């Protein structure tokens, strides 16, 4: 098709495309459309395929022109975008036409569409970028704490013999809030509420106040909360709560021996085997977390150093995806989720606005990574993927065959390839920038990092 095109860059990675289709193409397209009408038209008094063209033009003139314009626009855009690399539209939104052109077979057809394109960003300058690497040593105490957690998860919960509440006991209570008139506040009553004393996982934070209580004992607690209490409903207030202890239980911890290790996992023969495996897993987790912190630090600096706009359609698609994922987590539909949000006193719009900042930063980070991978022509070989299989198998305590089976699905395999490319990119960049020692952290503190 004989045509000309002109691209004009707009704000937020949008493009205006002006297309001019030569009049010969316009005339030919109109004749083809008219011929199709002649071939298929059924009008009383004429045989199918024998209706005069001038009759059809009088009867279906507007439809003929509309069909011709539609065909010309579709064909010309398909031709342009088939060979276009820098100005292809994003899949999130269709090109929008400012004004539908009028058909005149004696003139060129000119029309304009606007659409979003992938942001153009070129990261060349790494001057001034420095990444801090947390210094973390896994201690014997860290390993023992993890063993204790496993021990607690495998504990039996039994009734406490002396029947007195103490820290770490599992208690069942009935409670209600008492008003200034000494009567129960309507709607505050709760029965058979279970929590672990010392966890703070109760509305009124009455862990310390119930210590020493016995089963079936009722106590009226008066508690004054600090003005800076993180719970706005309690901050600076005084509450009276009536509490009745209904049950007191404890965790009966299993002995830390070889039998315990074997019960946890049949691959362990001794407690020493379990400790060694825990140590390896913690080292793997530590390495991954430190790399995640370094990568996030690097990307934050690159985003700040290389400002660019996110296309509106890309941001909206990301927010819609987060909303739909949240609906899945709540096992409901996006529409029902919105009703739930409104019922809680919020709106979908306000929630999406809260997400916008982080979503933009995440999208910018992803775009910078993708751009750098393309600029540096980073690829992976089959041999490198084989090495990834071995690494994943070693870290996960699996066989290489099991790992390969997991990545049989083409999408999973593509994810692994992309992840490997990203890791190669980061390895390259870390050789080009300054990496300094960060704070000394415990294993637990490492995972508390934001």
């Amino acid at each position: 098709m004989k045509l000309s095109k002109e691209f004009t860059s707009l704000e937020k990675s949008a493009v205006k495309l002006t297309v001019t289709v030569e009049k010969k193409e316009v005339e030919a397209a109109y004749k083809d459309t008219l011929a199709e009408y002649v071939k298929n038209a059924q009008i009383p008094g004429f045989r199918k395929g024998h209706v005069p063209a001038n009759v059809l033009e009088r009867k279906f003139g507007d439809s003929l022109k509309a069909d011709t314009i539609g065909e010309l626009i579709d064909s010309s855009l398909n031709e342009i975008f088939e060979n276009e690399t820098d100005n292809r539209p994003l899949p999130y939104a269709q090109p929008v036409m400012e004004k539908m052109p009028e058909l005149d077979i004696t003139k060129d057809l000119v029309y304009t569409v606007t659409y979003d394109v992938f942001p153009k960003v070129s990261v060349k300058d790494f001057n001034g970028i420095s990444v801090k690497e947390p210094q973390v040593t896994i201690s014997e105490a860290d390993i023992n704490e993890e063993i204790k957690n496993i021990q607690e998860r495998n504990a039996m919960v039994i009734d406490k013999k002396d029947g007195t509440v103490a820290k770490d006991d599992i208690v069942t209570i009935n409670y209600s809030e008492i008003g200034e008139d000494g009567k129960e506040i309507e709607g505050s009553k709760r029965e058979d509420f279970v929590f672990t004393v010392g966890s703070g996982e109760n509305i009124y934070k009455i862990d310390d106040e119930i210590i020493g209580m016995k089963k079936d004992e009722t106590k009226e607690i008066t508690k004054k909360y600090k003005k800076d209490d993180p719970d706005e409903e309690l901050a600076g207030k005084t509450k009276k709560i009536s509490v009745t202890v209904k049950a007191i239980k404890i965790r009966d911890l299993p002995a830390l021996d070889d039998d315990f290790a074997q019960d946890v996992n049949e691959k362990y023969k001794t407690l020493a085997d379990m400790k060694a495996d825990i140590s390896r897993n913690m080292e793997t987790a530590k390495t991954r977390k430190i790399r995640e912190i370094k990568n996030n630090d690097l990307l934050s600096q690159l985003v700040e150093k290389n400002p660019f706009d996110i296309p509106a359609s890309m941001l909206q698609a990301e927010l819609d995806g987060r909303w739909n994922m949240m609906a899945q987590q709540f096992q409901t539909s996006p529409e029902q989720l919105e009703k739930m949000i409104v019922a809680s006193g919020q709106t979908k719009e306000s929630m999406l606005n809260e997400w916008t900042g982080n979503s933009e930063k995440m999208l910018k980070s992803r775009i910078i990574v993708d751009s750098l991978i393309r600029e540096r022509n980073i690829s992976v070989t089959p041999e490198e993927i084989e090495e990834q299989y071995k690494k994943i198998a070693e870290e996960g305590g699996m066989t290489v065959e099991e790992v390969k089976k997991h990545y049989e699905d083409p999408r999973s395999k593509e994810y692994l390839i992309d992840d490997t490319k990203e890791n190669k990119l980061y390895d390259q960049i870390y050789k080009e920038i300054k990496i300094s020692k960060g704070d000394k952290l415990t294993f637990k503190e490492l995972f508390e990092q934001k």
Side-chain angles (χ1 to χ4, degrees), residues 1-4 19-22 25-26 29 71-77 79 111:
M1 181 180 291
K2 293 182 179 180
L3 56 81
S4 61
V19 181
T20 302
V21 181
E22 291 189 8
E25 298 283 354
V26 177
E71 178 59 32
L72 284 168
I73 292 173
D74 288 344
S75 299
S76 57
L77 286 179
E79 183 175 320
Y111 68 90

Side-chain angles (χ1 to χ4, degrees), residues 54 64 68 74 94 96 125 162 184 218 222-223 245 255 310 324 334 346 348 352 375 386 400 419 421 428-429 443:
N54 61 341
L64 276 164
T68 302
D74 288 344
Q94 293 294 320
V96 177
D125 182 13
D162 65 13
E184 178 184 294
T218 298
T222 299
K223 183 162 184 175
V245 175
I310 293 294
N324 292 335
Q346 300 184 68
K348 178 181 178 180
L352 294 182
E375 285 177 11
E386 286 294 324
V400 174
D419 189 55
K421 287 180 182 179
Q428 284 185 12
I429 294 174
F443 183 77

Side-chain angles (χ1 to χ4, degrees), residues 13 16 107 174 251 292 341 343 413 434 436:
S13 294
K16 180 171 75 173
K107 297 179 181 179
N174 295 344
R251 292 179 178 86
E292 177 189 329
I341 295 299
K413 180 74 172 290
K434 180 182 178 182
S436 57

Side-chain angles (χ1 to χ4, degrees), residues 148-161:
K148 181 182 178 183
N149 292 335
I150 296 173
Q151 189 184 25
E152 289 181 349
R153 289 197 295 270
N154 287 270
M156 297 285 290
V157 177
I158 60 175
D159 289 325
K160 189 172 184 178
K161 292 181 179 179

Side-chain angles (χ1 to χ4, degrees), residues 184-199:
E184 178 184 294
I185 294 177
E186 186 176 354
S188 67
K189 187 175 182 179
R190 180 77 182 272
E191 294 186 344
D192 296 328
F193 179 77
V194 181
F195 73 102
T196 300
V197 178
S199 68

Side-chain angles (χ1 to χ4, degrees), residues 289-307:
K289 186 63 177 180
I290 290 175
R291 190 172 181 88
E292 177 189 329
I293 291 172
K294 288 170 58 182
N295 293 350
N296 289 339
D297 186 7
L298 170 65
L299 289 174
S300 292
Q301 294 180 64
L302 289 176
V303 167
E304 186 175 350
K305 197 175 180 66
N306 299 273

Side-chain angles (χ1 to χ4, degrees), residues 231-249:
D231 189 335
E232 294 180 358
E233 295 295 321
L234 299 176
K237 298 178 181 177
T238 299
K239 298 282 187 180
K240 287 186 178 181
I241 310 104
S242 175
V243 180
T244 300
V245 175
K246 303 300 294 182
I248 309 172
K249 297 179 181 293

